[in-house]
Amino acid sequence: MTAPKPSLPHDSALLHVTGTARYIDDAPEPADLLHLAFGQSTETHAAITGIDLSAVRAAPGVVAVFTAADIPGHNDVSPVAHDDRLLADGEVLYRGQPIFLVAATSRGAARRAARLGRIDYAPRPALLTIADARDADSRIEPTQRMARGDAAAALGTAPHRRTGGFAMGGQDHFYLEGQVALARPGEDGQLHLASSTQHPSEVQHLVADLLGISSADVTVEVRRMGGAFGGKETQAAPFAAAAALVAAKTGRPAKFCCDRDDDMVLTGKRHDFTIDYDVGFDDDGHILGLILRLASRCGATVDLSPAINDRAMFHADNSYWLPAVEILSERLKTHTVSATAFRGFGGPQGMLAIERVIDVVAASLGRDPLDIRTANLYGPGRDVTPYGMTIADNIAPALIARLRRDSDYDARRAAIGDFNTRHRVLKKGIALAPVKFGISFTTTHLNQAGALVHVYADGSIQLNHGGTEMGQGLYIKVAQVVADVFAVPASTVRITATRTDKVPNTSATAASSGADLNGMAAFEAASTIRDRLAGVAASIGGCEPDAVCFTPAGVVAGAETIPFATLCRKAHLARVSLSSTGFYATPDIAYDRAAHRGRPFYYFAYGAACAEVVVDTLTGEHRVLAVDILHDVGRSLNPAIDLGQIEGGFVQGQGWLTTEELVFADDGRLLTHSPATYKIPTAADRPDRLSIALWDGENVEPTIHRSKAVGEPPFMLAQCVLSALGEAIAATTPDRRAFPPLDAPATPEAILRAIAAHRA
Amino acid sequence: MTIRFLLDDAVVEVADAAPTATLLDHLRYRLRRTGTKEGCAEGDCGACTVLVGDAEGDGIAWRAVNACILFLPMIDGKAVLTVESLSQGGAPTPLQTCMARNGSSQCGFCTPGFVMSLYGRAVGAAGHDLPVADVIAGNLCRCTGYGPILDAAEQVSRIERDDRRTATALRELRASDASDKAQGWFAPRSADELAALLIKHPHARLIAGATDVGLWVTKGLRDLDLPIFIGDVPELRTITEDASGVTLGAAVRYAEAHDALARLHPDLGELVRRIGGLQVRNAGTIGGNIANGSPIGDGPPALIALGASLVLRRGDQRRTLALEDYFLAYGKQDRAPGEFVERVHIPRPAPDAIVHIAKLSRRFDSDISAVCGAFHLTMRDGTIVDARVAFGGMAATPRRAAACEAALTAAPFTEATIARAVEALRDDFDPLTDVRGSAPYRQQAAGNLLWRLWHREQGEPVSVQELCR
């Protein structure tokens, strides 16, 4: 077992705290810069029958105005299905959709002018909700089915059976840095784009297609994003494409720095879901049969909804053995902004569904839900997922047992029971729930990455790879990997901005894969150079290259210890290349999507969390009082960074399930389009006590240093908050053997509604 | 118009300041101080937090504010610190190095705002004595979960700062102030001057903290006709506290009024604490909260229940008005052209009065009420002799609940009386369904607040907040 890796701070930490970390809108503005704004639809679903932009063109500061007709290539900013228009062409599919693009000499001028367009519409009926779309059979693709055994038969013979359903809301990403892109025209039709994107290669390819030029003529660069969380995987593209279009058409640099309210209206969010379950179980709470129907609101276009809903299905087992199961997944097409990737990518919705089923089973039997969870965990002889993947390292039982002990769950649960008998208004609840999250893009070909490492003759190192930095600490983790290869301090490694002209054809930094893929690619690149350097050292020291050892004191070859920089200089003089690419493709994964069977994941990351909450049964207010987390990151690449991801993920998940409510008006307008009405957690919402421990173990698969991915899995740790709230609500009517039909987010209103329904 | 302010002890002169130019845009795009970020441009995220200071004694009274909705003319004659100010000496402050070591930043975009809020706390800026979570409740972070930020704040809670030079420079700046620099912006320096201005321009737009009007500009993209900034009118900035109660000048900021109001009743203090983030309370005023007539403004229901009255002034004429009579209809107040709210008086409740004020919102901090209820029962020998009950969020204006009050008045303080009052409350209001809550929820929650009052008087814990920290 290797030594633990050091907890180096984020590579930009000092720049962050001094305000000198540069984001795209912070760069000095080039002369002649144009500022952009979209003219947006004021109808929800309509044919466009006329466009009069004369007032827009006449407005102060306006330099140019563009519509779909002005796009030289494909009017397409979509990731897969070619159905997202940069500018509406003949019809609008959601309220706020861009129809025209204004370029002006100031941001204010562009925004003011954008409100002056006169658009004639012929309104069409709009489908807004999951129910609307289901009634109209409006779907982005056919309902998918993943099944094992005969669930219906198992339900028929099970000693107990419960049916029910609930709803969970979507979520706005609320990255603090809004969508932004800056395009600079180059010579001979080339273009440089600074884009706050998780997916520079996709932006590059889309912009090239949009302008009718080649990918080689477009360079996309991103040094850092001010948060992304999936919201800049596909949603950065329209802003970058708009800037590129204006730069190409006018020959002037163009920046799109989107206003927050516009951003919230224009960009996709987490999918909201409704869940219906029909579960059969025995006297001990073992699930014998389950039919689970997941339905999501995908919005107006396909975006990444197929893969997101697939991931919901993949996680509808969470950590539990479901012997006979049928998972149905409806992907509904509505006239709302297209839902998109968000940390967890459907996994949270699928997992929340099965956790509710477990809570219902426990409540029906009058049993401790944790006992029911434990009874249903995967184990020997019952270790194959509904999609046919065998689980290699089922650490969930041991991990849950340890957290149960460390959090003092049983004593606290007893104390809470006592509290609840003594208090009329306030009721407490506690819940402990596991997380098992599959790591890999389920679209297999995306599991590849490239890196480029240069070692300079002075011994300094420059690192570049296809992964993007959105705050998650990817850059420092990969820099540490590279530094380790040469046994030099990480400060020797100059981390450089992600650029499509350095590493081509990259995948999005998504699916928690950043460190796994790019860390390994950079390791390969660095190892290639190290091997060349070892050859040089071997000839100096008179030993075999295999015997050369890179140490913090220098490179040891035979009797010689050569300082690293000296060796680099000598290698250069010896005409040895000190630059290399590296490439990695995740092995062993294969998935048959038509049958929903195979091994979509390289491995699983695990965790568990225990939350204690208190509910005010008069107002529906609640507080999360204490949280204990035990989480598996394998052999951590940087424990401090990983702990940061765990805590941040948990609190973001807590927000999704409690305060963050998206409200659409009956006419399709998003009413929660600003932080005034859309409420992410503040420091005061953080649980009073939040303790996090890392599980001591290593990845069974040979990932980079046996680490595990950490970006998304902790988000789902927060599901215990919703279960705990349900427990507290159930305590209002302790004799009832049912779990309250609490919807997420558990706003005061939702909690009061659940209390009333539970008492009824 | 020309305005001048101190930035790191150097005078910044802006010769062509538009009345609606924001400090944030000026910092970022004119002075190229891009450490201060725009996260929302409406005062709800704190990424643009800066410190603004006025001379006080031989030092500076600093307060953290949102630069995004602060109009540039509002800092005329004031001192400003941005995140860049903190490393003027070359090295970052211990707070910053601690945050960097501690994992207090991930994406880093919100970080300068947190740095400024916590630096303000460390140097004794307004609100520095609040719990750390309150100090930064107006700063949103989407990455960290806040723990490493709170830890760093605990580790570096005090930084010495010598502001004597700044104070001197600021006095010199103000002394050399050109008296009439007005072009589309008025900043009277006395109540008489304000009164005269309003007679001359009866439809001018009064601005105190701009925490509401700021959004008309940044979100509504509106121009302001004849803005009159009242933040520098000394008579409107006074707080008087005596046996009869508290009198607040209309330009007293929430943060300044907090302690006096909390002494009137702790519920009132808690209500004020939950208005906006600290940056908003350091700018916004009780007078503005009243005068803008919002149906959900959090101050008025509580002040109405406590029997507050307003003094309105037009020229040299003054009149006194019960606060509830000021709100006529949605968006319509009893304020004549040329008239302004000079002060509000809030009587001190009797020691044995039952006062209960509760605000319901999705989030505890920096959120707007779905329902705000305030109850003020005057008691004699177990009987309610007078009841004042007021709600926000239940009607087009903050207003009293007449039927509920009638059910309570002259009744014994018993469970049966509460039940009758809850029933009566259903006749008082016909609330709307909107983004903050449905009509049935509002109706039910409003009644339940009366039950909460009852249970609290029985000595039971009734608020989840009581179980925290």
Side-chain angles (χ1 to χ4, degrees):
Chain A
M1 202 163 282
T2 51
K5 302 295 176 192
S7 281
L8 298 186
H10 192 285
D11 54 281
S12 297
L14 263 178
L15 304 186
H16 293 155
V17 298
T18 51
T20 52
R22 239 187 223 181
Y23 302 80
I24 289 170
D25 192 46
D26 297 340
E29 293 187 338
D32 283 343
L33 179 66
L34 295 175
H35 298 262
L36 312 185
F38 283 131
Q40 296 174 245
S41 169
T42 54
E43 284 291 331
T44 302
H45 182 207
I48 297 174
T49 55
I51 299 182
D52 174 3
L53 302 179
S54 49
V56 185
R57 291 180 207 281
V62 171
V63 172
V65 184
F66 301 104
T67 63
D70 299 306
I71 295 171
H74 297 124
N75 181 7
D76 174 23
V77 288
S78 59
V80 181
H82 307 295
D83 60 345
D84 287 289
R85 304 281 157 262
L86 172 61
L87 298 171
D89 195 0
E91 61 174 355
V92 289
L93 299 176
Y94 69 95
R95 180 81 63 140
Q97 185 179 344
I99 297 173
F100 61 92
L101 173 63
V102 184
T105 51
S106 76
R107 190 176 170 210
R111 290 178 61 206
R112 282 168 190 248
R115 297 187 183 186
L116 301 176
R118 291 177 54 101
I119 313 294
D120 296 322
Y121 302 94
R124 296 170 177 169
L127 306 171
L128 296 177
T129 64
I130 287 172
D132 291 348
R134 190 184 268 155
D135 289 347
D137 199 24
S138 168
R139 301 166 195 279
I140 60 150
E141 67 173 345
T143 296
Q144 301 290 302
R145 179 176 181 272
M146 178 186 287
R148 167 173 53 204
D150 188 341
L155 285 170
T157 56
H160 306 278
R161 185 168 174 176
R162 289 288 182 277
T163 58
F166 73 110
M168 64 187 87
Q171 185 177 27
D172 190 273
H173 303 82
F174 211 85
Y175 29 69
L176 265 288
E177 178 207 38
Q179 300 281 354
V180 57
L182 170 62
R184 296 167 200 253
E187 63 177 27
D188 199 18
Q190 296 178 78
L191 202 67
H192 178 276
L193 260 169
S195 168
S196 184
T197 176
Q198 293 170 249
H199 203 343
S201 285
E202 186 166 281
V203 168
Q204 176 199 23
H205 302 152
L206 286 170
V207 163
D209 281 353
L210 187 101
L211 299 179
I213 58 180
S214 71
S215 289
D217 291 329
V218 180
T219 297
V220 178
E221 175 173 7
V222 52
R223 173 57 186 82
R224 64 173 60 81
M225 285 165 271
F229 317 109
K232 294 172 180 174
E233 183 169 355
T234 64
Q235 304 296 296
F239 304 93
L245 177 67
V246 171
K249 297 288 264 188
T250 64
R252 291 170 66 167
K255 179 159 74 177
F256 203 136
C257 185
C258 193
D259 170 70
R260 171 66 56 185
D261 292 51
D262 292 344
D263 186 317
M264 292 183 76
V265 168
L266 282 163
T267 63
K269 296 145 208 333
R270 185 184 296 284
H271 293 65
D272 52 324
F273 271 58
T274 62
I275 307 297
D276 290 287
Y277 56 81
D278 186 346
V279 60
F281 48 100
D282 67 16
D283 293 342
D284 294 322
H286 293 110
I287 293 174
L288 304 176
L290 174 66
I291 297 177
L292 197 58
R293 182 177 286 272
L294 314 174
S296 79
R297 175 159 62 170
C298 298
T301 61
V302 173
D303 192 74
L304 301 173
S305 289
I308 290 165
N309 284 274
D310 285 359
R311 190 168 274 272
M313 297 169 80
F314 288 129
H315 290 82
D317 63 338
N318 192 0
S319 308
Y320 310 114
W321 163 243
L322 304 171
V325 57
E326 180 174 25
I327 300 161
L328 299 163
S329 166
E330 291 185 77
R331 293 102 195 262
L332 296 152
K333 183 173 182 173
T334 52
H335 298 105
T336 50
V337 65
S338 200
T340 193
F342 195 146
R343 202 177 199 169
F345 203 74
Q349 294 96 320
M351 232 183 260
L352 202 66
I354 189 68
E355 290 304 321
R356 173 57 55 88
V357 170
I358 295 269
D359 283 331
V360 166
V361 170
S364 315
L365 296 171
R367 295 276 302 276
D368 182 338
L370 182 51
D371 292 334
I372 303 304
R373 288 191 162 86
T374 307
N376 282 289
L377 291 174
Y378 283 112
R382 29 185 280 149
D383 56 358
V384 179
T385 66
Y387 44 92
M389 178 173 166
T390 302
I391 294 169
D393 65 339
N394 181 29
I395 61 172
L399 191 149
I400 290 169
R402 195 184 126 193
L403 184 64
R404 183 175 197 151
R405 191 189 66 218
D406 291 354
S407 66
D408 203 16
Y409 171 85
D410 293 289
R412 287 167 63 198
R413 185 173 154 84
I416 284 168
D418 183 47
F419 176 96
N420 288 340
T421 59
R422 287 185 290 107
H423 290 81
R424 281 192 290 178
V425 177
L426 303 184
K427 299 290 180 186
K428 285 187 178 183
I430 189 169
L432 192 161
V435 167
K436 169 184 127 286
F437 193 76
I439 303 300
S440 290
F441 288 99
T442 58
T443 304
T444 303
H445 82 267
L446 298 175
N447 295 287
Q448 57 172 311
L452 177 62
V453 174
H454 301 318
V455 176
Y456 293 91
D458 67 352
S460 64
I461 299 165
Q462 210 177 68
L463 165 65
N464 196 276
H465 52 76
T468 57
E469 177 65 42
M470 59 196 93
Q472 82 278 42
L474 173 67
Y475 277 12
I476 186 65
K477 278 186 169 181
V478 179
Q480 284 179 263
V481 166
V482 168
D484 273 2
V485 169
F486 299 109
V488 297
S491 56
T492 311
V493 180
R494 167 54 69 184
I495 298 166
T496 59
T498 310
R499 292 177 63 113
T500 56
D501 57 355
K502 286 205 169 177
V503 177
N505 307 318
T506 53
S507 294
T509 308
S512 307
S513 69
D516 280 10
L517 299 179
N518 296 288
M520 203 56 118
F523 180 80
E524 292 300 320
S527 297
T528 300
I529 300 169
R530 184 192 55 190
D531 290 349
R532 293 182 197 145
L533 285 168
V536 176
S539 66
I540 294 169
C543 66
E544 289 299 310
D546 287 355
V548 171
C549 194
F550 287 72
T551 75
V555 182
V556 180
E560 302 276 341
T561 298
I562 313 159
F564 181 73
T566 306
L567 180 61
C568 294
R569 179 77 60 195
K570 287 182 187 291
H572 177 60
L573 294 174
R575 295 187 293 171
V576 171
S577 165
L578 293 179
S579 173
S580 178
T581 60
F583 185 78
Y584 176 74
T586 312
D588 304 333
I589 48 176
Y591 188 66
D592 175 1
R593 185 170 186 253
H596 287 299
R597 292 195 68 77
R599 179 182 177 180
F601 304 120
Y602 191 35
Y603 63 90
F604 295 100
Y606 296 86
C610 174
E612 180 177 341
V613 304
V614 59
V615 165
D616 177 342
T617 59
L618 287 175
T619 62
E621 295 170 297
H622 82 275
R623 277 286 190 185
V624 181
L625 298 172
V627 170
D628 296 272
I629 292 171
L630 181 57
H631 196 78
D632 161 41
V633 294
R635 191 65 49 210
S636 176
L637 291 175
N638 181 320
I641 295 285
D642 286 349
L643 287 168
Q645 287 297 296
I646 295 166
E647 176 169 350
F650 178 88
V651 172
Q652 202 175 67
Q654 181 189 337
W656 173 50
L657 295 174
T658 57
T659 55
E660 295 182 38
E661 183 169 34
L662 291 164
V663 182
F664 286 89
D666 291 341
D667 63 2
R669 270 177 310 134
L670 176 66
L671 297 178
T672 46
H673 52 73
S674 83
T677 44
Y678 185 76
K679 295 299 178 182
I680 72 168
T682 72
D685 297 307
R686 181 181 187 273
D688 277 356
R689 189 175 66 71
L690 174 54
S691 62
I692 305 171
L694 297 180
W695 175 254
D696 187 18
E698 62 174 35
N699 201 332
V700 289
E701 302 297 340
T703 51
I704 183 73
H705 299 324
R706 298 273 176 182
S707 62
K708 285 191 180 182
V710 71
E712 293 164 292
F715 181 88
M716 282 145 278
L717 293 169
Q719 62 202 3
C720 60
V721 170
L722 196 69
S723 290
L725 289 168
E727 290 287 311
I729 292 166
T732 58
T733 317
D735 299 334
R736 235 193 119 195
R737 286 199 167 184
F739 194 80
L742 175 63
D743 291 332
T747 58
E749 179 163 356
I751 287 176
L752 277 198
R753 212 166 44 226
I755 290 172
H758 189 64
R759 282 177 174 156
Chain B
M1 63 184 291
T2 300
I3 71 120
R4 293 180 306 159
F5 62 96
L6 273 189
L7 184 61
D8 306 339
D9 293 344
V11 176
V12 175
E13 185 166 303
V14 190
D16 55 348
T20 54
T22 65
L23 174 60
L24 177 64
D25 280 356
H26 192 78
L27 288 171
R28 287 183 58 78
Y29 305 115
R30 300 286 286 272
L31 301 179
R32 290 222 41 80
R33 289 207 174 202
T34 53
T36 310
K37 309 298 185 196
E38 177 183 309
C40 68
E42 55 191 88
D44 267 305
C45 82
C48 62
T49 303
V50 298
L51 300 187
V52 167
D54 290 288
E56 186 184 71
D58 61 357
I60 300 281
W62 295 106
R63 57 194 162 96
V65 293
N66 291 309
C68 67
I69 48 172
L70 198 65
F71 299 128
L72 207 45
M74 292 168 66
I75 56 156
D76 188 37
K78 300 190 192 302
V80 174
L81 294 177
T82 70
V83 67
E84 289 88 353
S85 310
L86 275 51
S87 346
Q88 288 297 303
T93 61
L95 172 71
Q96 290 163 294
T97 48
C98 179
M99 289 177 73
R101 256 200 332 268
N102 211 50
S104 304
S105 68
Q106 286 185 22
C107 86
F109 198 83
C110 70
T111 311
F114 277 94
V115 167
M116 293 312 289
S117 285
L118 292 177
Y119 180 77
R121 170 176 178 264
V123 300
H128 67 94
D129 47 354
L130 291 165
V132 185
D134 288 347
V135 172
I136 57 173
N139 292 86
L140 297 179
C141 169
R142 193 53 153 167
C143 296
T144 64
Y146 299 103
I149 301 171
L150 293 163
D151 288 347
E154 297 295 352
Q155 287 178 49
V156 186
S157 57
R158 183 83 204 138
I159 293 173
E160 290 306 321
R161 197 186 150 83
D162 185 351
D163 282 322
R164 282 174 298 188
R165 250 185 43 183
T166 313
T168 307
L170 202 54
R171 280 204 188 78
E172 283 166 9
L173 180 69
R174 287 188 78 103
S176 66
D177 201 14
S179 61
D180 182 30
K181 54 178 76 180
Q183 197 167 46
W185 179 271
F186 299 102
R189 295 284 166 97
S190 74
D192 289 347
E193 195 187 333
L194 168 63
L197 262 173
L198 270 172
I199 293 293
K200 200 168 150 200
H201 307 288
H203 296 287
R205 176 63 58 191
L206 292 182
I207 294 175
T211 56
D212 189 18
V213 173
L215 277 67
W216 302 2
V217 172
T218 62
K219 298 296 167 178
L221 308 182
R222 287 165 58 177
D223 291 318
L224 295 179
D225 283 339
L226 285 174
I228 300 180
F229 175 54
I230 61 169
D232 284 333
V233 178
E235 298 93 325
L236 301 192
R237 305 244 331 109
T238 58
I239 303 174
T240 314
E241 214 177 338
D242 57 29
S244 77
V246 171
T247 304
L248 301 172
V252 172
R253 298 186 281 262
Y254 295 112
E256 296 166 321
H258 173 271
D259 291 358
L261 295 176
R263 282 189 287 269
L264 277 188
H265 194 273
D267 280 9
L268 189 55
E270 174 63 3
L271 182 76
V272 171
R273 186 197 67 79
R274 281 179 58 188
I275 292 175
L278 180 57
Q279 298 92 323
V280 167
R281 300 196 297 277
N282 275 335
T285 63
I286 308 260
N289 189 226
I290 292 169
N292 79 356
S294 163
I296 41 173
D298 280 336
L303 302 187
I304 289 171
L306 292 173
S309 58
L310 294 181
V311 173
L312 289 131
R313 175 174 175 185
R314 184 175 184 282
D316 292 329
Q317 305 294 312
R318 288 185 174 81
R319 64 185 174 115
T320 302
L321 190 65
L323 179 54
E324 60 262 40
D325 297 334
Y326 178 71
F327 303 105
L328 300 175
Y330 179 74
K332 192 167 158 41
Q333 296 89 41
D334 183 5
R335 184 165 73 85
E339 200 172 35
F340 65 98
V341 177
E342 194 173 51
R343 59 184 185 265
V344 55
H345 174 73
I346 308 131
R348 189 175 301 280
D352 61 346
I354 295 174
V355 173
H356 180 55
I357 302 166
K359 161 176 174 167
L360 301 179
S361 49
R362 283 197 192 92
R363 193 174 69 188
F364 281 100
D365 296 84
S366 194
D367 197 356
I368 293 171
S369 305
V371 177
C372 182
F375 309 88
H376 177 200
L377 310 182
T378 307
M379 305 296 298
R380 193 172 304 141
D381 305 328
T383 296
I384 305 164
V385 295
D386 183 43
R388 294 181 67 90
V389 177
F391 280 92
M394 295 292 286
T397 60
R399 84 174 161 73
R400 291 175 70 173
C404 178
E405 288 180 352
L408 291 165
T409 304
F413 187 63
T414 61
E415 197 162 349
T417 299
I418 297 294
R420 272 193 298 277
V422 168
E423 205 47 48
L425 191 59
R426 299 197 163 272
D427 299 332
D428 280 318
F429 296 109
D430 185 15
L432 288 177
T433 291
D434 69 9
V435 65
R436 296 194 167 81
S438 72
Y441 167 71
R442 288 186 150 119
Q443 196 70 265
Q444 184 191 357
N448 281 0
L449 290 181
L450 258 170
W451 283 118
R452 177 192 265 195
L453 175 152
W454 169 257
H455 287 287
R456 182 159 95 169
E457 290 303 311
Q458 310 312 305
E460 291 177 54
V462 292
S463 164
V464 295
Q465 298 272 66
E466 293 173 43
L467 271 63
C468 291
R469 276 176 275 272

